[in-house]
Amino acid sequence: IQSGNQQFLVGENLAMWRAWDGIRALDYLLTRPEIDPQHVGVTGNSGGGTMTTWLCGVESRWTMAAPACFVTTFLHNAENELPADTEQCPPRVLSLGLEHEDFLAALAPKPIVILAKERDFFDVRGSEEAYGRLKHLYTLLGYPDNISLHIGPTEHGYSIENREAMYAWFNRATKSSAGAQEPTIELETDATLQCTESGQVAEWHPATVADFTREKALALRASRGALRGAALQAAVRDVLKLPPQLAKQPPHYRILRSFGNRQLPLKYATAYAVETEPGIQAISYLLAGQRHDARPPRQGERAQLYVAHRSSDQELRQEAWLRDLLKQDLPIFSCDVRGIGESLPNTCGIDSFDDAYGCDYFYAAHGIMLDRPYAGQKTLDVLRVIHWLDSLGYSQIELIGL
């Protein structure tokens, strides 16, 4: 995951790198005399099923394919709160309206069998939907028998029943055999399979993902000029995918009422739910010595806005330096953007924010696929809260963040 995130920063991604590895592997195979270029299949399970799917979309030299334990729909993955691997979340794929089967469709009408599992975490209903749409396409092309779906009875993995379904499909496509039964396999020793003494290419000290990312970052920096003024603002807006102009009307807000002193810097705190875009609310607290249940006070032009790291309620109570920084003579507001504080979700499990496959990763990955970065969404929340404060008469706002 970390490696994938590094690559996004320089305009590349793990999916493209791994797909390129597959293309280069095919280039090598086709140089070997024992390889028949008329019969070259691609298959793999899970991450291999992912690469099989992407490779069908970008490489036409395959003559057959069998992606296993991957093909479903992005919608099912999202609804089921399945945090897919970085290489399974290609940038902009959702904004372009693509689904898993669209990559397979690029290989049509060549023979493809989708291998799924009844008890997989990849939703088999999505596998059936993908197959149904491909069946329609293959039928229109005049090759309805060149697409198939096999659903094995067990859990995630390239188990015997799915392997034998792949053998049968590939043998059917090549007409080399009618057999499908897997013979008894004698596993080679590790020493025989190793391409280096230790079995790890790290002993050759190859370049790492971080090395390639650094090299690309330095090249990008050398190729561009320094941005300033309006050009810099435009570039930042573009990177964050912010709307060219914010809504003219200040955001609608709800008053969630005051709650008593919870060891906050001031006696009362009133919570406001500020609608930053349809269906999204940023929570803002007003800290004050009096109640303000009717609406926020309009007093002077200056105010402080604390943008929380994880929870403004917790941080305002626990961070002594922050309490000292807040100027008691100015109105004090806080801001919890989407995904933290009061709106911290339990997506992908309870208290999963810091998990490698937790809620923060889940929404960041979907932001990348939607071509709407999560950082940009959160920035929009802050901008709209500032717009809200401006509508209350606060034209000079001091931002504070942890």
Side-chain angles (χ1 to χ4, degrees):
I1 295 173
Q2 184 62 39
S3 298
N5 289 342
Q6 288 177 357
Q7 290 172 287
F8 283 132
L9 297 176
V10 294
E12 300 185 0
N13 62 84
L14 206 55
M16 64 179 283
W17 276 31
R18 292 191 174 181
W20 179 244
D21 289 345
I23 292 170
R24 294 299 287 155
L26 178 59
D27 290 339
Y28 166 71
L29 283 177
L30 293 178
T31 67
R32 297 184 64 92
E34 70 270 30
I35 300 300
D36 181 355
Q38 301 303 313
H39 298 303
V40 183
V42 58
T43 187
N45 188 82
S46 194
T50 304
M51 287 302 102
T52 298
T53 303
W54 301 161
L55 284 167
C56 285
V58 298
E59 175 55 71
S60 62
R61 289 175 292 174
W62 310 111
T63 62
M64 52 196 166
C69 287
F70 170 69
V71 174
T72 179
T73 69
F74 289 113
L75 178 59
H76 279 298
N77 285 347
E79 289 182 335
N80 298 344
E81 300 181 8
L82 179 67
D85 295 337
T86 301
E87 70 275 11
Q88 295 171 334
C89 303
R92 301 180 62 214
V93 66
L94 293 178
S95 70
L96 294 171
L98 295 176
E99 264 298 354
H100 290 178
E101 74 267 9
D102 291 308
F103 292 85
L104 301 179
L107 202 65
K110 295 177 182 178
I112 296 176
V113 59
I114 298 171
L115 303 174
K117 283 297 191 70
E118 191 64 46
R119 293 189 278 126
D120 199 356
F121 44 77
F122 286 116
D123 198 317
V124 71
R125 295 174 299 170
S127 307
E128 293 172 334
E129 292 170 18
Y131 166 71
R133 287 189 282 268
L134 287 169
K135 184 71 170 181
H136 180 65
L137 171 63
Y138 273 67
T139 300
L140 291 175
L141 294 174
Y143 294 87
D145 295 332
N146 274 11
I147 185 71
S148 183
L149 170 66
H150 171 83
I151 302 174
T154 57
E155 62 281 348
H156 188 80
Y158 215 154
S159 54
I160 181 66
E161 63 273 9
N162 279 26
R163 295 199 303 273
E164 290 189 338
M166 179 268 292
Y167 301 149
W169 188 256
F170 280 7
N171 285 335
R172 173 183 176 272
T174 61
K175 298 180 174 59
S176 59
S177 168
Q181 185 174 0
E182 182 175 276
T184 300
I185 297 176
E186 294 185 12
L187 297 180
E188 301 285 355
T189 65
D190 288 348
T192 301
L193 296 172
Q194 288 172 357
C195 60
T196 70
E197 289 186 7
S198 67
Q200 299 294 325
V201 295
E203 69 183 62
W204 293 340
H205 304 291
T208 66
V209 170
D211 293 331
F212 284 112
T213 305
R214 181 177 183 274
E215 181 181 337
K216 180 70 178 292
L218 291 174
L220 288 171
R221 185 171 70 179
S223 67
R224 65 172 180 253
L227 296 176
R228 294 183 176 85
L232 178 59
Q233 289 183 341
V236 170
R237 282 187 170 273
D238 181 61
V239 166
L240 295 175
K241 301 298 180 184
L242 294 173
Q245 291 183 333
L246 295 180
K248 294 182 179 180
Q249 293 297 322
H252 173 76
Y253 68 96
R254 297 166 53 206
I255 303 174
L256 305 182
R257 318 306 294 173
S258 299
F259 48 84
N261 191 306
R262 294 194 289 188
Q263 299 180 329
L264 290 165
L266 295 177
K267 185 176 181 180
Y268 294 102
T270 305
Y272 303 93
V274 182
E275 188 174 84
T276 58
E277 60 178 318
I280 301 296
Q281 295 176 335
I283 305 301
S284 178
Y285 297 143
L286 165 64
L287 306 183
Q290 302 84 29
R291 292 182 179 275
H292 291 282
D293 292 341
R295 63 182 177 185
R298 299 170 182 263
Q299 51 188 70
E301 297 180 348
R302 299 177 61 202
Q304 287 182 301
L305 177 62
Y306 172 63
V307 182
H309 165 54
R310 289 281 290 276
S311 168
S312 56
D313 177 40
Q314 183 178 27
E315 291 155 23
L316 287 167
R317 285 186 284 113
Q318 296 181 353
E319 300 291 343
W321 70 268
L322 177 58
R323 297 164 66 95
D324 293 339
L325 182 64
L326 294 170
K327 300 173 183 177
Q328 302 288 319
D329 59 334
L330 292 180
I332 301 168
F333 293 85
S334 70
C335 177
D336 284 353
V337 297
R338 69 190 73 190
I340 68 168
E342 299 289 347
S343 66
L344 180 66
N346 277 326
T347 311
C348 307
I350 304 300
D351 298 327
S352 71
F353 188 93
D354 292 316
D355 295 346
Y357 285 101
C359 60
D360 198 53
Y361 167 77
F362 179 82
Y363 290 113
H366 279 80
I368 289 168
M369 290 192 289
L370 289 164
D371 198 26
R372 207 171 162 226
Y374 202 29
Q377 297 178 46
K378 295 185 179 218
T379 301
L380 177 62
D381 291 341
V382 177
L383 292 174
R384 290 292 281 160
V385 168
I386 291 174
H387 189 188
W388 172 63
L389 292 175
D390 180 67
S391 73
L392 300 176
Y394 299 108
S395 58
Q396 300 178 40
I397 300 166
E398 179 181 331
L399 279 179
I400 302 171
L402 174 62

